[in-house]
């Protein structure tokens, strides 16, 4: 498993420094050149520094080979691919909102900002392509592209995000079986233990209903995906360890945090950032080994 979720979260945070101001009223009739300059220079310096640091600290110069591709689509029950989708979606979402803050016309903000997820993650795949232990992954690049395209499609169709990818995590016993890969601390496990990660699509049901509907606009419905018994990244190695990896599917209510926006820029930015996380709630799970199961409160 490539331990790059820390990087994806850092890249996401890099996209968010001015979203507190993005909640203010924006004059989209003209580009604010000052804001655009600040935005572009901050991003260019920050991202370049991050890539240089990553290339020096994360990748071994001794293990470098000629550029090559690596097929990992069967590994980890595709949980890593869902993670790529989630990361690219929210990076592109942030890119769109930052260009809006800079006064870029709406359609251009959506199209150009929507490329941010792919732009941020593609160089990482290039770095991977020169590493002997793995390589550039076509599956990762497809997941990145689909994640960015998903937010662009919603913005073009509805001028808002109605289906929000979210993440949740709980600790599992599997991390103790391979802590060097799945994490030895809570923070590491949240980033690296796929057994404890769940990815969701939280649907803003109220947005699809008529204005006069009495449906509570703060209540979303979320469908989730996860997997268990994955200590190694392939079925054969898991079987040798006595494990039988399986997929999990979830259905749960969720909060539409963006419904609670107010006048405070700090409050609105907090809601914006927290909207990438699934709120713990009663959840119905189905998997092939145990059938249906109700969790009174699922993380």
């Amino acid at each position: 498993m490539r331990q790059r979720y820390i990087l994806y979260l850092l890249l996401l945070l890099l996209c968010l420094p001015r979203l507190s101001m993005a909640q203010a009223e924006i004059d989209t009739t003209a580009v604010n050149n000052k804001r655009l300059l600040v935005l572009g220079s901050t991003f260019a310096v920050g991202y370049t520094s991050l890539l240089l640091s990553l290339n020096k600290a994360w990748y071994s110069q001794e293990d470098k080979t000629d550029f090559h591709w690596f097929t990992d689509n069967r590994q980890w029950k595709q949980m890593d691919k869902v993670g790529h989708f989630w990361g690219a979606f929210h990076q592109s979402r942030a890119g769109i909102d930052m260009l809006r803050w800079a006064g870029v016309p709406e359609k251009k903000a959506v199209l150009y900002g929507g490329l941010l997820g792919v732009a941020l993650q593609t160089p990482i795949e290039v770095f991977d392509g020169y590493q002997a232990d793995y390589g550039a992954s076509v599956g990762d690049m497809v997941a990145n592209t689909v994640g960015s395209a998903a937010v662009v499609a919603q913005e073009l169709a509805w001028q808002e995000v109605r289906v929000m990818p979210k993440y949740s995590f709980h600790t599992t016993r599997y991390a103790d079986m391979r802590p060097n890969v799945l994490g030895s601390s809570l923070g590491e496990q949240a980033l690296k233990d796929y057994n404890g990660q769940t990815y969701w699509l939280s649907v803003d049901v109220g947005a699809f209903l008529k204005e006069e509907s009495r449906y509570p606009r703060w209540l979303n419905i979320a469908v989730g995906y996860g997997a268990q018994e994955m200590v190694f990244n392939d079925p054969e190695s898991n079987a040798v360890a006595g494990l039988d990896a399986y997929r999990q599917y979830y259905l749960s209510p969720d909060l539409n945090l963006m419904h609670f926006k107010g006048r405070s820029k700090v409050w609105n930015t907090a809601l914006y950032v927290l909207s990438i996380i699934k709120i713990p709630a009663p959840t119905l799970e189905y998997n092939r080994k145990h059938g249906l199961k109700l969790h009174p409160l699922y993380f």
Side-chain angles (χ1 to χ4, degrees), residues 55-272:
N55 189 45
K56 181 178 180 180
W58 205 310
Y59 294 99
S60 171
Q61 304 302 313
E62 298 178 357
D63 294 336
K64 282 194 172 181
T65 65
D66 293 335
F67 182 87
H68 62 283
W69 297 95
F70 175 72
T71 302
D72 60 350
N73 295 331
R74 294 181 64 244
Q75 298 180 358
W76 306 109
K77 292 295 184 184
Q78 295 79 51
M79 284 293 292
D80 57 326
K81 302 297 179 281
V82 182
H84 276 268
F85 172 91
W86 174 84
F89 183 100
H90 288 294
Q91 288 161 356
S92 290
R93 174 189 171 214
I96 292 170
D97 287 331
M98 286 190 294
L99 289 184
R100 283 173 173 158
W101 169 75
V104 174
E106 180 65 13
K107 193 169 184 178
K108 289 184 178 181
V110 171
L111 294 177
Y112 298 154
L115 294 173
L116 186 61
V118 175
L120 285 173
Q121 300 201 37
T122 297
I124 313 305
E125 292 301 328
V126 174
F127 286 168
D128 284 352
Y130 289 98
Q131 295 302 302
D133 291 342
Y134 35 91
S137 168
V138 174
D140 288 355
M141 296 186 71
V142 169
N144 296 338
T145 303
V146 174
S148 292
V151 68
V152 170
Q154 292 190 61
E155 290 285 1
L156 292 178
W158 302 315
Q159 294 75 55
E160 62 181 351
V161 174
R162 295 185 179 183
V163 182
M164 185 79 76
K166 296 191 176 186
Y167 161 93
S168 66
F169 175 77
H170 60 272
T171 57
T172 74
R173 63 184 179 88
Y174 304 105
D176 292 336
M177 300 173 67
R178 204 180 179 200
N180 60 313
V181 172
L182 302 182
S184 57
S185 66
L186 178 61
E188 288 185 352
Q189 290 169 20
L191 297 170
K192 296 158 62 175
D193 183 6
Y194 290 125
N195 299 280
Q197 297 175 5
T198 306
Y199 289 96
W200 305 82
L201 291 177
S202 183
V203 181
D204 182 358
V205 177
F208 292 96
L209 303 177
K210 295 181 179 179
E211 279 294 327
E212 58 269 24
S213 170
R214 300 181 65 181
Y215 183 87
R217 301 286 167 158
W218 51 266
L219 179 61
N220 282 13
I221 300 298
V223 293
Y225 173 68
Q228 284 282 302
E229 297 194 27
M230 300 181 297
V231 174
F232 297 92
N233 62 8
D234 64 272
E236 292 78 13
S237 299
N238 273 314
V240 171
L243 300 171
D244 179 20
Y246 61 93
R247 305 176 192 275
Q248 299 163 296
Y249 306 93
Y250 301 93
L251 181 67
S252 176
D254 187 33
L255 284 179
N256 177 11
L257 293 179
M258 302 308 291
H259 173 78
F260 301 101
K261 289 193 300 183
R263 295 182 178 180
S264 169
K265 296 175 183 178
V266 175
W267 171 253
N268 290 345
T269 301
L271 292 178
Y272 188 99

Side-chain angles (χ1 to χ4, degrees), residues 20-42:
S20 61
M21 288 175 281
Q23 309 301 328
E25 293 185 6
I26 299 172
D27 178 9
T28 57
T29 61
V31 175
N32 187 316
N33 290 324
K34 183 178 179 180
R35 288 186 176 186
L36 196 59
L37 178 62
V38 170
L39 184 62
S41 58
T42 300

